[in-house]
Amino acid sequence: MANKLARQNQTDSSATKLLWIDAMCINQDDNTEKSIQVQSIQSIYYKAQCVLIWINSPGTSGDERRRQEETTTTIRKFSQYHKAGVNTTEIVQSLDGSADKDSNLTFQVTHSKQAGHWPHLVKFFDQDWWRRVWVRQEIATSRRASVLYGESTVDWEDVATLSHWLIVFTTDLDAKTLQWGGAHQSGAYSGEDLQYFRNTLQNGGNLDFQTILIHARSCEATNPLDRVFAILGMVQNHIEMPIDYHMSVAEVAKQTFQRLAVLNGGLDALIFSQNPARKEGIPSWAANIYSSFSVRPSRLKGRDESLYRASVDGPVSYSFLADSSTLSISVAMFDSIRWISKSFQPNMNRVDLDHAMRFLRAQAFGWMGARSDSEKYEQLLRTLTRDQNIQGLRLMSGAGDCPNWGRFFRFEHEDVGAATEFQYLSKALKPFQASADDAEIKAWLRLFSESISNRRMVMTKGRKLGLVPTEAEEQDVLCTLASVDVPLLLRKIDVNTYILIGEAFIHGAMDGEVLTSDIGFEELNIHLL
C-alpha cells in the first residue's frame, strides 16, 4: 500500500513526496527507540502536507470495492447537501432509502429500499480504526486529512460533518448500528470527539489533560502505556511527563494521577479510577490505564460543571507516601451499606428493564415501609435516574417546581414495567403537556439502563437509597472528600487503611446534605492503597 501511494504521488508532481508510516518507521520492538520517536510524532503530523487515514484494506471482490466507493460517495454528497442547508427530513429520507422519486437529493448508490444507506454507513463506522488510541493525535494535530476507505478517498471534514449530523439528528443511531450489523458503538461518536479536539487545537485553544485521558481510556491500545503516551502530543506543551516505554503500567498510572492532582488542584480524578481489583499493580486511587470504564462516570470530561455538590469546594489535604503506592487523605465518613442488590448487566432489552424495575421497586418499597407514595417514588426514581432527566440535567426540585411524585400512584402497582413507570414520571414532570411519545420513553429507558448497568442498588444504615459499583459489598463505607463532587465508596482492609471501590450516587447526599446533617459524620485521615 505504501509503495502504491508513493508512486501515485510521484506522477502527480515533479517533486518527490515523502510518505511516513509510523508502524514501519518506528521499530515497535525497541522500547528505547519508541520512547524517543513518539516524542516527535506530533511535529510530524503537524508538518505533513496531508495525513492519510487508512480506515481499512481494499476489498478483494468487485462488490466490496464498489461498496467502499459508494460509501465515500454517500458521505461526500451528504456533506454537500447538509452544508447547502437541505432540509433534515429530506436527508433522513434519502439515507433511509425512502425519499420521494422526485427528490432533488441524488445519492447515486445501490441500496435496498428497506435498509437505505445504513448497512454501508454502519460498516464504515464499525471499522477498528475508530477505536484505536493513536488515531486521536493524527487527526487532532494534522493540518489536512483524507480518509482512505479501501481504494476510495473522502475528505476528513466531510466525515466529521456526517458524524456530527448522525449524533444530533439520528435519535436511534445505536439501534440502527445494532440493526445493520455493527459490533461496536458507532464510530460517529469518536468522529465527533476527534473533530472537537482538532478544532480546539487549530483555533489556538488548549485541550485539558484529564478530558483527553478519559477519552483515551475507552480506546484500544496494544500497550496500555499508549493510553497516556499517545495523547501527550496533544497537551505536551501544558504538562511535563516523561515518555519511557521501559516504565511499568503501574508507574505510569501513578505518575499520571499525580500530574492530574497538581493540574486540577484536587483529587476529583478519583471518580475515574474504577480499579478496586488493583489490576497490574495499579493502586485503587491511580489512573486506571489498563482497562476501560466499567460504568459511565458522573462526568465524562475532566473539568465540566458537575451536576452534584456532595462536598465543599476548597483545598484538599493529601500526600503520596514514600512507597508511591499509598495516598494519604482526609475524608468525612457518613454511612455504610446495609443491604445490596444483585448487579445489572449493560445493554438490557425492554424485558430485562421491566424485570429490573419491578425488582428494584419491590425492594425499595418494602424497605421504605410506611412512607407516603410520593416519598417512595421520589426517592426511587431520583435514584434510578441518578437524579437526571433525559437532557442530562438535574430533575426539578424546589417548592415551586417540584413534581407531584405520588400523583399517579394510588397503590403499589407490582406489574407496571419500566416504560409505563417513565410515562408516569414524564407526566408528573410535565402535567400540562401531551404524554410522552415513543422516542421520549426510549430516552428514559436508555437513561435507566445506563444508570443501573454494572451497578447495584443499596440501602444504607442511615436509611438512604443509592447506586454503587458492582464490586461493592455490605459494610463498605461512604465518605465525602473536599473538591470531589460525588460520594466515594471505600472498603476497609486494615487499621486506617482502605481501597477505593468507586463513586456512588446516594439520594440525600448529593448536594452537601451530609455536611449539614444533624446525624453528623466522622472526619478521618486514612491511607488509600
Side-chain angles (χ1 to χ4, degrees):
M1 184 66 176
N3 290 336
K4 183 174 184 179
L5 287 172
R7 289 197 300 271
Q8 288 177 336
N9 283 332
Q10 288 173 348
T11 61
D12 292 340
S13 170
S14 58
T16 300
K17 295 183 179 179
L18 299 178
L19 191 66
W20 185 85
I21 304 174
D22 57 358
M24 298 174 64
C25 295
I26 299 177
N27 183 353
Q28 303 296 322
D29 297 323
D30 187 331
N31 286 333
T32 300
E33 179 178 338
K34 283 170 60 177
S35 301
I36 296 172
Q37 295 295 336
V38 163
Q39 299 179 55
S40 303
I41 288 182
Q42 178 204 16
S43 175
I44 292 171
Y45 285 136
Y46 177 75
K47 292 179 179 178
Q49 288 184 327
C50 182
V51 172
L52 304 178
I53 302 165
W54 192 11
I55 291 286
N56 72 340
S57 304
T60 57
S61 68
D63 288 343
E64 180 72 4
R65 289 194 296 271
R66 184 165 55 253
R67 178 189 62 76
Q68 292 171 344
E69 183 177 354
E70 290 173 352
T71 301
T72 55
T73 299
T74 298
I75 295 171
R76 194 177 301 109
K77 284 184 172 290
F78 164 84
S79 182
Q80 293 171 358
Y81 292 140
H82 180 64
K83 292 175 181 177
V86 173
N87 183 278
T88 297
T89 301
E90 289 187 75
I91 295 180
V92 170
Q93 291 174 342
S94 295
L95 293 179
D96 285 344
S98 60
D100 185 273
K101 64 180 181 179
D102 295 326
S103 172
N104 292 323
L105 305 191
T106 55
F107 291 98
Q108 298 294 337
V109 299
T110 303
H111 60 262
S112 71
K113 292 182 178 180
Q114 292 76 25
H117 300 275
W118 283 106
H120 291 356
L121 294 179
V122 166
K123 189 163 187 176
F124 175 81
F125 283 114
D126 202 49
Q127 299 298 316
D128 291 341
W129 182 88
W130 296 101
R131 298 180 295 281
R132 289 167 43 209
V133 69
W134 274 107
V135 309
R136 274 62 200 156
Q137 189 171 179
E138 69 184 52
I139 285 293
T141 60
S142 63
R143 291 182 293 174
R144 177 172 170 261
S146 292
V147 177
L148 290 110
Y149 188 42
E151 295 182 349
S152 302
T153 305
V154 62
D155 192 85
W156 165 257
E157 295 295 332
D158 292 335
V159 176
T161 298
L162 176 59
S163 296
H164 176 74
W165 187 91
L166 289 175
I167 293 171
V168 173
F169 294 105
T170 309
T171 58
D172 59 346
L173 177 58
D174 294 338
K176 276 188 164 64
T177 298
L178 290 173
Q179 180 182 2
W180 300 114
H184 307 90
Q185 185 184 55
S186 174
Y189 294 102
S190 287
E192 175 82 336
D193 288 338
L194 292 173
Q195 187 65 1
Y196 165 75
F197 301 154
R198 180 179 174 84
N199 288 340
T200 299
L201 294 180
Q202 289 188 343
N203 292 327
N206 297 324
L207 292 173
D208 177 63
F209 180 42
Q210 186 164 282
T211 299
I212 307 300
L213 186 65
I214 293 167
H215 177 88
R217 170 82 174 268
S218 299
C219 295
E220 294 180 357
T222 303
N223 187 334
L225 302 184
D226 287 339
R227 294 196 175 96
V228 177
F229 295 161
I231 65 172
L232 287 179
M234 300 159 67
V235 294
Q236 65 182 9
N237 292 332
H238 316 289
I239 177 173
E240 293 183 2
M241 187 169 175
I243 296 178
D244 185 353
Y245 279 91
H246 294 96
M247 296 171 67
S248 69
V249 174
E251 187 59 34
V252 173
K254 289 184 288 187
Q255 287 198 21
T256 299
F257 185 89
Q258 291 168 1
R259 297 305 193 281
L260 289 172
V262 173
L263 288 171
N264 297 350
L267 300 179
D268 62 332
L270 287 171
I271 70 174
F272 306 113
S273 297
Q274 295 188 7
N275 185 31
R278 294 180 283 175
K279 297 176 181 177
E280 293 293 302
I282 301 173
S284 66
W285 49 265
N288 182 2
I289 62 174
Y290 183 74
S291 55
S292 60
F293 290 112
S294 58
V295 295
R296 182 186 178 96
S298 56
R299 283 183 291 147
L300 280 181
K301 292 185 178 179
R303 301 182 189 177
D304 270 7
E305 187 72 15
S306 175
L307 293 176
Y308 312 113
R309 285 289 183 271
S311 189
V312 295
D313 294 329
V316 57
S317 174
Y318 72 93
S319 62
F320 299 98
L321 301 193
D323 64 0
S324 79
S325 294
T326 305
L327 174 63
S328 177
I329 55 175
S330 178
V331 300
M333 300 282 193
F334 69 89
D335 213 337
S336 62
I337 296 177
R338 175 183 177 185
W339 175 90
I340 191 167
S341 78
K342 65 180 183 180
S343 179
F344 295 93
Q345 299 300 312
N347 302 317
M348 291 182 286
N349 58 35
R350 283 209 175 191
V351 174
D352 293 333
L353 292 174
D354 285 343
H355 288 322
M357 178 61 76
R358 293 185 182 106
F359 170 77
L360 294 172
R361 183 173 52 224
Q363 295 295 326
F365 280 12
W367 176 72
M368 286 186 277
R371 297 182 189 183
S372 70
D373 283 345
S374 185
E375 288 178 302
K376 290 179 181 179
Y377 279 99
E378 178 175 8
Q379 191 164 352
L380 175 66
L381 292 176
R382 283 193 188 276
T383 299
L384 297 184
T385 60
R386 290 174 294 152
D387 205 15
Q388 297 180 37
N389 62 22
I390 55 178
Q391 285 78 39
L393 305 174
R394 290 291 291 271
L395 287 172
M396 290 187 295
S397 61
D401 298 325
C402 189
N404 181 357
W405 294 91
R407 178 181 180 185
F408 296 99
F409 313 110
R410 300 293 179 261
F411 55 90
E412 294 177 9
H413 45 294
E414 296 179 358
D415 292 330
V416 169
T420 303
E421 196 74 276
F422 285 113
Q423 282 181 332
Y424 290 156
L425 175 59
S426 176
K427 191 63 177 175
L429 294 173
K430 303 180 298 183
F432 304 109
Q433 297 184 28
S435 298
D437 58 20
D438 189 56
E440 183 175 341
I441 296 304
K442 286 180 179 178
W444 280 110
L445 291 176
R446 284 195 298 271
L447 174 60
F448 175 43
S449 177
E450 178 188 288
S451 294
I452 66 174
S453 292
N454 286 330
R455 289 188 174 97
R456 302 175 188 267
M457 187 172 76
V458 297
M459 298 165 189
T460 74
K461 290 183 178 179
R463 303 191 65 78
K464 298 182 186 299
L465 201 63
L467 292 172
V468 296
T470 190
E471 297 89 351
E473 298 176 358
E474 290 185 11
Q475 307 306 319
D476 286 346
V477 296
L478 291 154
C479 72
T480 62
L481 176 65
S483 81
V484 178
D485 45 44
V486 294
L488 299 176
L489 187 67
L490 308 178
R491 181 171 302 150
K492 188 173 184 178
I493 60 174
D494 203 347
V495 178
N496 208 38
T497 304
Y498 297 78
I499 59 173
L500 173 66
I501 306 303
E503 66 170 304
F505 177 92
I506 305 296
H507 178 70
M510 304 306 294
D511 295 294
E513 303 96 326
V514 170
L515 303 179
T516 59
S517 170
D518 293 335
I519 298 175
F521 56 89
E522 183 180 10
E523 288 195 31
L524 292 175
N525 290 314
I526 66 169
H527 289 165
L528 209 55
L529 299 183

